[in-house]
Amino acid sequence: WDRCSRISSSPCEGEDMAVEGAGGRRFLGNSSECEWEGITCSRKDGTIWIELTSNNLSSQPGNSIIPMELVLLKKKIQLLWLSSNLHLHGTIPDYVGEFSELATLSLFDTSLSGTIPDSLLKLKKLTALRLHNTSLEGTISSHMGNMKKLSWLWLHGSHLTGLIPSELGKLRELNALTLHGNDFDALGEFPQEICSLKKKKNLLHLWTDCTDIEANREGTVKEDGGDSEEMKHTCHCCTRCLVRDDHVGSSE
């Protein structure tokens, strides 16, 4: 931990009651969770935002990256940001599907591993899913196309495999989709069902490992560093084509 209390002199471990008012506000202290560092509670509807980005969090490999204790707040948590904590290890647990009010889940730039569990696809209110620059592996389920409220889907810079499901074209609210830097099977054309979202003017950012884009299209960038053409889709709708070496370590 780097920050455990809104009082900067409050230590992260041990008794800190000597610091006036710090004991109650320390994370996991004896006061309401709404007083803890990184926690914001709405007085209007009781929803909770947890924002612990870049807080030097750590955990042991083999655990769940989301603590089980948070299930106690499963009907309240609306935003969960644990990103940019490189020593935070673990997998996405099956109980993530119990967070029925969750709208934003950000676990990028962590040591996240494992696969995307089917239970995550139950989060019907999720609008932003940021899992990029991790060790995530496995495939993208076609059922992700049923997450109708998704606006931001960032999955780049991981180890995902298989085909890019054409069912993502059902995400009518999608504003950004980033898939570059994975190990997808690049066979022929990029799914045209996803390209069709560009016509609806919502999808503004579509980044993947691709080639043969129309370089003259407004807002389009071609970045080709000599990567094997066999590893790329042909994409005429992507707003940016990248190669693996261009984005290793990038948090874009």
Side-chain angles (χ1 to χ4, degrees):
W1 292 83
D2 284 339
R3 304 184 307 278
C4 294
S5 171
R6 294 174 186 176
I7 299 178
S8 60
S9 58
S10 174
C12 290
E13 301 291 342
E15 297 296 329
D16 56 3
M17 296 302 292
V19 180
E20 184 178 358
R25 284 188 282 264
R26 180 168 55 87
F27 200 89
L28 300 182
N30 55 16
S31 67
S32 165
E33 64 271 10
C34 296
E35 297 294 325
W36 300 346
E37 168 66 26
I39 308 294
T40 302
C41 298
S42 170
R43 294 182 180 180
K44 181 178 180 181
D45 56 13
T47 55
I48 295 174
W49 289 16
I50 299 178
E51 205 284 281
L52 294 170
T53 299
S54 301
N55 202 19
N56 200 27
L57 301 180
S58 63
S59 62
Q60 295 298 318
N63 295 324
S64 296
I65 201 167
I66 301 173
M68 182 176 289
E69 289 80 1
L70 290 183
V71 174
L72 297 173
L73 303 172
K74 62 184 181 182
K75 294 185 178 181
K76 294 184 177 181
I77 297 178
Q78 192 176 66
L79 178 147
L80 181 57
W81 279 69
L82 302 177
S83 48
S84 298
N85 289 290
L86 293 178
H87 299 292
L88 191 62
H89 296 264
T91 59
I92 301 175
D94 286 336
Y95 53 76
V96 72
E98 299 182 33
F99 293 80
S100 57
E101 298 300 312
L102 194 63
T104 298
L105 178 61
S106 293
L107 301 173
F108 64 88
D109 289 338
T110 65
S111 293
L112 172 67
S113 58
T115 61
I116 301 174
D118 290 340
S119 58
L120 186 145
L121 308 179
K122 299 177 182 179
L123 301 177
K124 301 304 182 183
K125 295 186 178 181
L126 200 66
T127 61
L129 181 60
R130 297 178 174 92
L131 304 178
H132 52 285
N133 292 339
T134 66
S135 295
L136 200 65
E137 55 189 10
T139 61
I140 300 177
S141 171
S142 61
H143 295 295
M144 188 169 283
N146 296 325
M147 303 179 74
K148 302 298 186 182
K149 291 186 177 293
L150 266 183
S151 296
W152 302 88
L153 181 56
W154 292 12
L155 299 174
H156 61 271
S158 299
H159 303 289
L160 297 172
T161 56
L163 295 173
I164 297 173
S166 60
E167 288 82 359
L168 295 182
K170 294 159 56 177
L171 300 176
R172 303 302 183 188
E173 301 298 320
L174 203 60
N175 290 319
L177 174 62
T178 61
L179 299 169
H180 53 282
N182 284 288
D183 300 311
F184 294 119
D185 296 335
L187 301 175
E189 290 279 346
F190 189 79
Q192 292 304 300
E193 293 86 350
I194 300 177
C195 287
S196 68
L197 297 177
K198 291 286 298 299
K199 298 178 182 179
K200 297 184 179 298
K201 308 300 183 182
N202 283 339
L203 186 57
L204 302 177
H205 306 286
L206 178 54
W207 295 9
T208 189
D209 297 309
C210 58
T211 186
D212 196 28
I213 63 174
E214 296 176 19
N216 292 328
R217 187 188 297 111
E218 183 178 358
T220 312
V221 179
K222 182 173 182 178
E223 299 186 5
D224 193 338
D227 199 20
S228 171
E229 297 297 321
E230 296 180 358
M231 297 302 293
K232 299 180 184 180
H233 286 279
T234 299
C235 186
H236 297 282
C237 67
C238 294
T239 57
R240 195 170 186 183
C241 282
L242 299 99
V243 295
R244 276 195 85 87
D245 291 345
D246 288 335
H247 47 68
V248 172
S250 171
S251 60
E252 286 189 289

